[in-house]
Amino acid sequence: MSNEELEQLRASLDEKNKDLLKLINERAEIVQKIGNVKSKSGTKRYDPVRERRMLDLIADENEGPFETSTLQHLFKQIFKASLELMGDDEQKALLV
Amino acid sequence: MSNEELEQLRASLDEKNKDLLKLINERAEIVQKIGNVKSKSGTKRYDPVRERRMLDLIADENEGPFETSTLQHLFKQIFKASLELMGDDEQKALLV
């Protein structure tokens, strides 16, 4: 019984992983489009104010179970990977 | 025009961030349930074989634009945070 329950939960987790993967890649596509728009207008791709706003949005919207600080850490990793995807020279600024 | 385009893309990004936040937390709820089932049966919570399978699933399902290695790195961070959420003493094993 407990084993069956475990298998069901694992199947749900696999589905969530797939959804998450899809969503992270969709997010990356939007970031690429933003990079293109900024590239045309000559604007810097890395925008710390905008990043701060996105982190604040996470704090506002978080209903748990993860702590906001944990989620913000995860999102910073996603932001960093997204900048790397754009091949942005300014990506190092994010690590400061 | 380009500014309007940028604002629209940013609004889409905010929506994706919210969806992502929701999904990461839903995933965490499943992990908590798995932790409870394992706790009752006395099974270890950290399962490297299962983790490997989840990373392989990501490799199989990935359609980009992110590289598989980047996504696997991000997912490892999510796995780590999930184990911490369960307060698992074995979480350090994940860092090896």
Side-chain angles (χ1 to χ4, degrees), chain A residues 1-83:
Chain A
M1 181 57 176
S2 156
N3 228 347
E4 198 183 307
E5 201 183 346
L6 192 59
E7 286 314 307
Q8 278 175 4
L9 287 168
R10 281 177 165 172
S12 305
L13 197 63
D14 282 342
E15 284 309 307
K16 288 288 173 201
N17 286 341
K18 280 194 231 176
D19 292 345
L20 211 47
L21 171 66
K22 198 164 165 277
L23 203 52
I24 290 173
N25 273 328
E26 283 171 4
R27 188 191 181 284
E29 282 171 17
I30 299 173
V31 171
Q32 283 181 320
K33 284 180 192 166
I34 290 175
N36 289 340
V37 173
K38 285 189 168 184
S39 187
K40 279 180 206 158
S41 67
T43 319
K44 283 185 183 176
R45 280 166 184 166
Y46 173 59
D47 180 347
V49 176
R50 173 75 183 134
E51 189 183 300
R52 187 65 252 167
R53 271 190 206 139
M54 291 196 288
L55 293 172
D56 288 346
L57 181 81
I58 288 154
D60 291 345
E61 297 280 330
N62 182 30
E63 295 180 353
F66 271 129
E67 297 282 337
T68 292
S69 59
T70 304
L71 289 162
Q72 288 176 331
H73 174 75
L74 289 173
F75 270 85
K76 278 183 194 171
Q77 302 284 319
I78 296 170
F79 298 162
K80 184 174 169 290
S82 304
L83 273 180

